[in-house]
Amino acid sequence: MKVFLIAGEPSGDLLGARLMSAIRRADSTIEFCGIGGPRMAQEGLNSIFPMSDLTLFGLAELLPKIPLILRRIKETVAAIKAAQPDIVVTIDAPDFCFRVARRMMGSNIPFVHYVAPTVWAWRAGRAKKIQPLFKHLLTLFPFEPPYFERVGLPASFVGHPLLEAGIERASAERLRSKYNIPADQDILVVLPGSRRSEIGALLNEFGEVLKRIKPAHQNLKVVLPAVPHLFESIKAGTANWPYEPLLLTADEDKYDAFKAARAALAASGTVALELGLAGTPTVIAYRIHPLTAALYRRLIKVKYANLVNIMADRMAVPEFIQENCTADRIAPALAELLDNNAARAAQIEVLDKVRPWLSPEGSLTPSDKAAAVVLGLIARSGLQEAA
């Protein structure tokens, strides 16, 4: 049997690699082909062209590469037709993957999409639009399948990939020992984002928050996990902070820092789920350009920015978004998590539910669950053809 995979960005490359490994554990005879990055290459995928051709951010970067992307769509369609796989699994990257799937309609090759579009947050009509393109959808969150099933697209909740990131193996003691942080010194993790635009919008405001809490928290150790390509910008941007932050770049240090922290101040995003899985009491903040915010508010229909709050259906984790993202409002909420054990316990009670919320039924990992669904679809497709 042959599986054709399409990943268009690093997160999809990781999902694809884990999926390949899980499929191979179940059936070592499966062949793989398609598009992926270095992690999928380690699992044996020979990508038909560099995945980096599809990894684009922002309109200014996209426009000059439109001819290349259109060519890559044609090449991908041709490669699928030539390979005649038993199934095609497209992973996130909807702008590219949905166009490929649309061009393959009527081919009798089943298409499965991994990572559901966020129709529960905005543009609900996308569910109906992609229904004809796919045989099945693999979702990361348990509340997603009904949005697609109601328009006739079968969907399976397979669990969130963060469950396989090793957060449960994090060690507070390891971080303190490695960086000589005394056991009696409280740690605050600060996470101003992984994009340059986020750093620009939040770094100064987070510094102002720290100035406000400093008088009552003289002995605090501020730890800041930084993505390597933004290290110098973050170092320069934190030079005037009231605390000299410990900047971490090693992947293995980040989750140790989460585990060691008494509290966290973080930009909204996937990191909120990571902190939730680590059980770290957190304050979330975010700010984007006012015009962009005004557009989003017309489109987005969820009450909260933080996925933990969305799943809990209440403001369990304080979040300060847009005009509320000010030091005067953030600082008291952060100080409460540092000082008030009752407030900490109340949030931790909710964070303890994050892992069960994100876990598939039974003892399977998300990758194993996804592999089981894909192999089941191949088997059913083969039976239908035989009949």
Side-chain angles (χ1 to χ4, degrees):
M1 291 189 291
K2 187 181 293 183
V3 176
F4 195 105
L5 300 130
I6 303 174
E9 51 202 19
S11 59
D13 182 40
L14 178 58
L15 274 179
R18 287 177 177 161
L19 178 62
M20 291 170 68
S21 178
I23 289 174
R24 192 176 287 111
R25 285 195 297 272
D27 186 341
S28 61
T29 67
I30 295 277
E31 295 180 17
F32 298 104
C33 52
I35 303 157
R39 293 180 184 271
M40 291 169 73
Q42 289 174 2
E43 294 294 331
L45 183 78
N46 184 18
S47 186
I48 60 175
F49 56 76
M51 186 190 74
S52 57
D53 286 355
L54 310 180
T55 307
L56 305 169
F57 298 99
L59 190 62
E61 186 180 10
L62 173 64
L63 287 175
K65 292 194 175 181
I66 286 177
L68 172 63
I69 294 170
L70 293 175
R71 187 166 75 249
R72 293 310 194 199
I73 291 172
K74 290 180 63 175
E75 291 170 356
T76 304
V77 169
I80 295 170
K81 290 178 178 178
Q84 286 297 300
D86 294 274
I87 201 165
V88 176
V89 181
T90 59
I91 306 169
D92 211 358
D95 290 338
F96 184 84
C97 291
F98 292 175
R99 284 171 171 80
V100 171
R102 190 171 299 282
R103 295 195 183 195
M104 288 297 299
M105 287 177 66
S107 68
N108 293 322
I109 298 172
F111 271 64
V112 176
H113 190 65
Y114 195 175
V115 183
T118 53
V119 298
W120 42 270
W122 69 309
R123 292 175 58 197
R126 287 176 293 171
K128 191 173 183 179
K129 286 183 179 179
I130 68 169
Q131 184 272 334
L133 307 182
F134 295 102
K135 184 86 170 178
H136 209 91
L137 194 63
L138 306 178
T139 80
L140 307 188
F141 298 102
F143 56 81
E144 292 180 306
Y147 288 91
F148 301 93
E149 291 167 342
R150 68 173 60 121
V151 298
L153 175 55
S156 297
F157 165 58
V158 298
H160 201 284
L162 283 178
L163 296 174
E164 299 177 67
I167 297 173
E168 73 284 354
R169 297 191 296 274
S171 168
E173 293 75 19
R174 184 166 53 216
L175 182 94
R176 288 184 180 276
S177 174
K178 183 174 181 179
Y179 294 102
N180 298 314
I181 303 172
D184 61 351
Q185 185 176 26
D186 285 338
I187 292 173
L188 172 67
V189 170
V190 178
L191 299 131
S194 57
R195 297 186 177 95
R196 197 170 296 279
S197 59
E198 292 170 334
I199 297 294
L202 296 175
L203 208 59
N204 288 339
E205 201 67 51
F206 282 8
E208 291 299 317
V209 172
L210 297 180
K211 287 180 183 177
R212 283 160 175 75
I213 68 169
K214 178 69 182 284
H217 303 88
Q218 293 288 333
N219 194 38
L220 200 62
K221 184 66 176 180
V222 173
V223 176
L224 197 161
V227 290
H229 70 279
L230 293 177
F231 180 86
E232 292 301 327
S233 296
I234 291 171
K235 185 177 179 180
T238 59
N240 293 322
W241 277 14
Y243 304 91
E244 182 180 355
L246 170 63
L247 301 185
L248 306 177
T249 56
D251 287 340
E252 61 270 20
D253 288 342
K254 182 173 80 169
Y255 293 145
D256 287 352
F258 290 1
K259 203 70 175 177
R262 184 160 178 84
L265 171 61
S268 180
T270 303
V271 72
L273 286 181
E274 294 177 298
L275 289 161
L277 288 169
T280 310
T282 300
V283 172
I284 294 295
Y286 208 69
R287 184 189 294 148
I288 55 178
H289 193 281
L291 291 177
T292 306
L295 175 62
Y296 280 0
R297 281 175 170 152
R298 294 174 65 91
L299 298 173
I300 292 177
K301 55 187 180 182
V302 289
K303 292 184 288 186
Y304 308 109
N306 179 6
L307 279 161
V308 175
N309 290 338
I310 290 171
M311 290 187 289
D313 196 27
R314 64 186 179 89
M315 186 76 80
V317 177
E319 57 181 55
F320 299 89
I321 309 300
Q322 212 52 26
E323 63 272 6
N324 291 319
C325 181
T326 66
D328 287 340
R329 295 186 178 186
I330 297 169
L334 185 59
E336 186 172 29
L337 288 183
L338 289 168
D339 302 331
N340 186 330
N341 287 331
R344 292 170 50 74
Q347 187 176 141
I348 290 171
E349 184 179 0
V350 176
L351 300 183
D352 285 343
K353 299 174 183 177
V354 172
R355 183 170 293 274
W357 281 336
L358 298 180
S359 299
E361 291 184 7
S363 58
L364 292 178
T365 67
S367 294
D368 286 327
K369 176 67 174 178
V373 174
V374 170
L375 291 171
L377 289 167
I378 293 175
R380 289 199 292 274
S381 180
L383 288 173
Q384 289 169 1
E385 288 181 7

